[in-house]
Amino acid sequence: MSNARTSRNRLLTAAAATAMAALSLTACNDGTGTKDQGMSPVASSTAPGASATAPGAAPSSSAAKPAPAPAASQQSAGGTSSGKAPAATPTGTAAAGGSGKGGKGGKKDATCDGSNTKTVAAPLSRPVNHMLLTVTNTGSTRCDLYYYPALRFGEAQSVPPVIEDSKPQAVVSLNPGESGYASVNLSAADGSGGKGHTEKSLTVYFMGRTPDQNPTAGATPALPAKGVYIDDSLKTTYWQSSMEDAISW
C-alpha cells in the first residue's frame, strides 16, 4: 500500500514538472514561431492613409499645395491693362484716336464712315434710357472707328459730350463684316435731366484720325416712329469693340 502511494506521488510530481516546463517554453520562446499568449497585440492608433501628425500640429512643409490659378487678364473697355489691343482689334492699330496702320506694306486703314458702313440705332430696355449704336463694315477693306460718334438729334447745334472713362486703349478696327458699338445715355433715369423733349431723327458723324479733323460722311439710322426722349444729361461712349463694353456705361 505504501509503495503504491509513493509511485503515484512520483507520477504526479513528474507530470507537474512537465507542465511547468511547457509553460516556461511558451512564455519565453521568441523567433521560433511560439508567441507569448499572455500579451495582446498593440492596436495601431493611426488609420490607414492618415497622417501621423498629432492633432493641432502644423502640417509638414512637404505636403502638396494646390497650384495657383492662372493670373486673370485685367481687360478694360476696348483694351487690356497691359496696353495690348483686345483679340477683336487687329494688330498694328494705334491707341484710340491715333493713326492706324495695317495690311500689307503698312498701308493705312480706311476711316469708317457712312459710305463704307451700316449704322443701326436700337433703344434698349436695359440699361434704361439707353440706345445702342451698331456700326458694321460693309466695305471690302478694314476700316477704323476713331474716338466717338458725333451725334446730332433733330436740328441740334452741338454734339453730346463723351463719357471719358469709356475711352478704350486701342482704336476699334473693323474687318469686312465686323461691327463696332457705342451706347448713348438718352436721359437721366431719375428724371433729374433738364429740358427733356422727344426727337425723331438722328445723324451719326464719324471722326477722322485727328481730333480737329472734320467729321466724314455721316449715317442717318432710323429711330422708332414715336421718337426717343432726350434731356440735358445726353451723352455717348467712345466706340467699343464689343456690345458688352458699350452698354456697361
Side-chain angles (χ1 to χ4, degrees):
M1 184 70 172
S2 175
N3 291 336
R5 183 176 298 170
T6 300
S7 297
R8 182 181 180 186
N9 288 340
R10 288 176 179 174
L11 289 174
L12 289 175
T13 300
T18 301
M20 290 296 292
L23 287 176
S24 176
L25 178 63
T26 300
C28 298
N29 195 323
D30 56 354
T32 62
T34 304
K35 298 181 180 179
D36 185 352
Q37 300 299 325
M39 299 180 65
S40 60
V42 178
S44 172
S45 59
T46 304
S51 170
T53 305
S60 170
S61 60
S62 62
K65 297 181 180 179
S73 173
Q74 303 296 323
Q75 181 169 340
S76 62
T80 64
S81 60
S82 63
K84 296 181 180 179
T89 303
T91 303
T93 56
S99 176
K101 295 183 179 180
K104 296 181 179 180
K107 181 181 178 180
K108 290 184 179 180
D109 298 332
T111 298
C112 297
D113 61 19
S115 67
N116 56 11
T117 63
K118 177 182 179 180
T119 302
V120 175
L124 301 173
S125 57
R126 292 289 184 276
V128 295
N129 302 347
H130 278 59
M131 181 172 67
L132 178 68
L133 296 178
T134 303
V135 174
T136 303
N137 184 349
T138 57
S140 59
T141 59
R142 188 167 65 186
C143 69
D144 291 331
L145 280 171
Y146 292 103
Y147 300 99
Y148 54 92
L151 306 177
R152 183 182 184 186
F153 283 90
E155 298 300 321
Q157 300 301 308
S158 60
V159 300
V162 67
I163 302 172
E164 287 295 341
D165 287 345
S166 69
K167 185 177 182 178
Q169 293 186 7
V171 68
V172 176
S173 291
L174 305 179
N175 287 314
E178 292 182 338
S179 299
Y181 309 87
S183 66
V184 184
N185 295 13
L186 299 171
S187 58
D190 59 3
S192 61
K195 298 181 180 180
H197 61 285
T198 299
E199 290 290 356
K200 294 187 177 182
S201 65
L202 169 65
T203 303
V204 179
Y205 293 100
F206 299 82
M207 297 188 184
R209 289 185 174 88
T210 59
D212 57 349
Q213 184 175 352
N214 292 331
T216 55
T220 54
L223 295 179
K226 64 179 181 179
V228 293
Y229 181 82
I230 63 175
D231 63 22
D232 286 347
S233 65
L234 178 67
K235 51 187 176 293
T236 183
T237 67
Y238 280 84
W239 292 114
Q240 309 291 332
S241 60
S242 74
M243 183 187 303
E244 290 75 14
D245 287 339
I247 65 177
S248 66
W249 298 95

